[in-house]
Amino acid sequence: MEDESLEATLDADSYRKLKKIDNPELIRFITRYRELCSPDDVFVCTGSREDVQYIRAEAIRSGEEEELAIEGHTVHFDGYYDQARDKKNTKFLLPPDVDLGPGINAMDRDEGLKEIHEILRGIMRGHRMYVLFFCLGPLNSQFSIPAVQITDSSYVAHSECLLYRQGYTEFVRLGRSNRFFKFVHSAGELDARKTSLNIAKRRIYIDLETETVYSTNTQYGGNTIGLKKLALRLALNRASKEGWLTEHMFIMGVHGPDGRVTYFTGAFPSLCGKTSTSMLKGESIVGDDIAYLRNKKGVIRAVNPEKGIFGIIQGVNSRDDPIIWNALHAPGEIIFSNVLVTDAKMPYWSGNDSSDPPTRGYNHAGEWVAGARDEDGNEIPVSHPNARFTLDLHLLENLDPELDNPEGVEIRGIIYGG
């Protein structure tokens, strides 16, 4: 029945792509949210170069991103009040007999599902639904977790294509045996700047029972890029049941004499230097944010579930961060978010050590001049403190060659910082 419903509502190309995956659960999932969200049309991404480039082009055509002066660079703006993770409205949906403790923001599962599905009803009218397949971790690996993302934001889809390994072939290979994470996102109604309008209905709900995350009426990456910190919550739950670990850690190779490389992880909270430490001069980066770790025959091995960086850009400068600085000023596919754009179509951010800081441009608040204030009288900085850059690790000159090793790298030590 689901298959017939999809065939009747998808174009021939999208239906053909889905038919290659022999997984009834996946078809039911896609069918349900296509019917509930009521998009104008659906685009299924196989991860091919053509499909990924189509998504990038749609992000520009739709106005969610704008091209900058350097080839491959684009800028995206979130709404003025949608600039960070919404901790208040990020909740675990739990049945009555489950208690994760007072430190967890939770609500009744049935109540939460009823609310989120009511918000999702018809939310994609006038929008395109993107269906994307990813793999958290290297392909064909014991570490890896396939994931499917539904979103109506070409910016979110484009960001995930930079940050995660394409997983369509894994879904085809695994077929009915596949156990996958699920993500449903809608930016909702958009304003003239193509930013989410109904912030009062911003919700990020995590259902551990079905390993599904719902996100509505928001565009900021921490709320919408489901495979990042939201997937980390799902992975923590799965890991606790299966006997492995996922941690908020970088992975780096430290280089010694005679070609020796020793791999370390580093557990630092946000804004405490994970990216900077993993980018130390002379060393190599496997990942800057999240690690999956397993005990394999008495040896701790780890992989980076990502292949890109969604990094805070404030303070990035040519002296302290030369490798990232060089990447951000060279041709290559990079999304800047919530920075200032100058008249020359160049991005500028707080802590940038370029000469002659701009006195005008446009940023997350709209047209900006030095000293501008918002409606509450607060001075608007040149860029938001949480402004970001999104890029594929392959743009970095110090990328470690073991990034995609399905066996991971052997971890010889853990650095703790704060």
Side-chain angles (χ1 to χ4, degrees), residues 137-138 141 143 251 286 290-293 301-305 405-409:
S141 167
F143 287 93
I251 308 172
V286 178
I290 300 172
Y292 289 177
L293 302 99
R301 302 188 71 89
V303 301
N304 177 9
N405 185 342
E407 296 299 314
V409 296

Side-chain angles (χ1 to χ4, degrees), residues 51-342:
D51 283 1
V52 172
Q53 283 302 108
Y54 175 81
I55 287 171
R56 182 183 185 277
E58 281 297 289
I60 296 167
R61 185 202 62 78
S62 70
E64 286 196 80
E65 295 178 35
E66 178 184 331
E67 291 184 297
L68 296 175
I70 296 178
E71 182 183 355
H73 293 194
T74 58
V75 65
H76 163 82
F77 294 107
D78 299 304
Y80 190 74
Y81 298 104
D82 188 26
Q83 296 284 329
R85 286 176 51 215
D86 184 353
K87 296 181 181 180
K88 177 183 176 182
N89 289 306
T90 300
K91 299 179 181 180
F92 285 88
L93 305 184
L94 303 178
D97 59 339
V98 175
D99 183 2
L100 298 182
I104 297 295
N105 194 12
M107 68 182 298
D108 178 77
R109 181 173 183 268
D110 289 343
E111 179 185 334
L113 289 175
K114 181 180 179 181
E115 180 193 16
I116 199 67
H117 284 100
E118 195 54 44
I119 292 174
L120 286 168
R121 189 176 306 280
I123 198 170
M124 292 187 186
R125 289 193 184 101
H127 297 193
R128 169 173 290 124
M129 173 186 280
Y130 298 93
V131 180
L132 305 103
F133 304 93
F134 297 104
C135 188
L136 290 162
L139 302 187
N140 199 15
S141 167
Q142 183 186 4
F143 287 93
S144 300
I145 301 174
V148 59
Q149 172 79 63
I150 289 174
T151 180
D152 61 1
S153 167
S154 47
Y155 159 70
V156 170
H158 183 203
S159 298
E160 291 191 332
C161 286
L162 291 177
L163 290 170
Y164 303 101
R165 298 167 179 90
Q166 294 293 334
Y168 177 79
T169 57
E170 284 292 273
F171 275 81
V172 172
R173 182 180 70 84
L174 293 169
R176 299 188 178 214
S177 67
N178 193 10
R179 182 181 168 205
F180 53 93
F181 287 170
K182 311 171 194 71
F183 303 91
V184 180
H185 165 256
S186 173
E189 187 180 356
L190 304 178
D191 61 17
R193 294 196 81 195
K194 304 300 180 182
T195 64
S196 296
L197 193 60
N198 299 317
I199 298 298
K201 292 185 178 181
R202 183 170 56 183
R203 300 289 187 274
I204 304 96
Y205 287 174
I206 303 166
D207 181 12
L208 298 178
E209 191 167 309
T210 62
E211 297 186 312
T212 305
V213 175
Y214 304 93
S215 172
T216 62
N217 295 300
T218 176
Q219 285 171 306
Y220 170 69
N223 300 324
T224 62
I225 298 174
L227 279 77
K228 199 162 186 62
K229 297 298 168 44
L230 301 172
L232 178 61
R233 273 66 182 173
L234 298 180
L236 283 165
N237 182 61
R238 186 184 286 194
S240 69
K241 296 176 180 178
E242 296 179 349
W244 53 280
L245 293 173
T246 178
E247 299 292 344
H248 198 197
M249 291 178 171
F250 66 76
I251 308 172
M252 67 182 296
V254 177
H255 294 249
D258 302 320
R260 185 184 70 211
V261 182
T262 305
Y263 291 97
F264 290 83
T265 62
F268 299 0
S270 293
L271 285 171
C272 290
K274 286 191 305 301
T275 302
S276 296
T277 305
S278 62
M279 298 290 292
L280 286 174
K281 183 179 180 180
E283 318 304 354
S284 54
I285 182 172
V286 178
D288 80 314
D289 196 38
I290 300 172
Y292 289 177
L293 302 99
R294 286 180 179 269
N295 183 339
K296 297 173 76 71
K297 298 180 180 179
V299 174
I300 301 302
R301 302 188 71 89
V303 301
N304 177 9
E306 306 180 299
K307 73 170 184 75
I309 295 179
F310 176 67
I312 293 173
I313 202 169
Q314 177 169 289
V316 171
N317 62 77
S318 60
R319 182 187 66 256
D320 299 325
D321 312 284
I323 295 174
I324 291 178
W325 179 269
N326 290 339
L328 296 180
H329 289 81
E333 199 167 349
I334 300 174
I335 306 171
F336 296 85
S337 60
N338 306 315
V339 297
L340 181 89
V341 177
T342 70

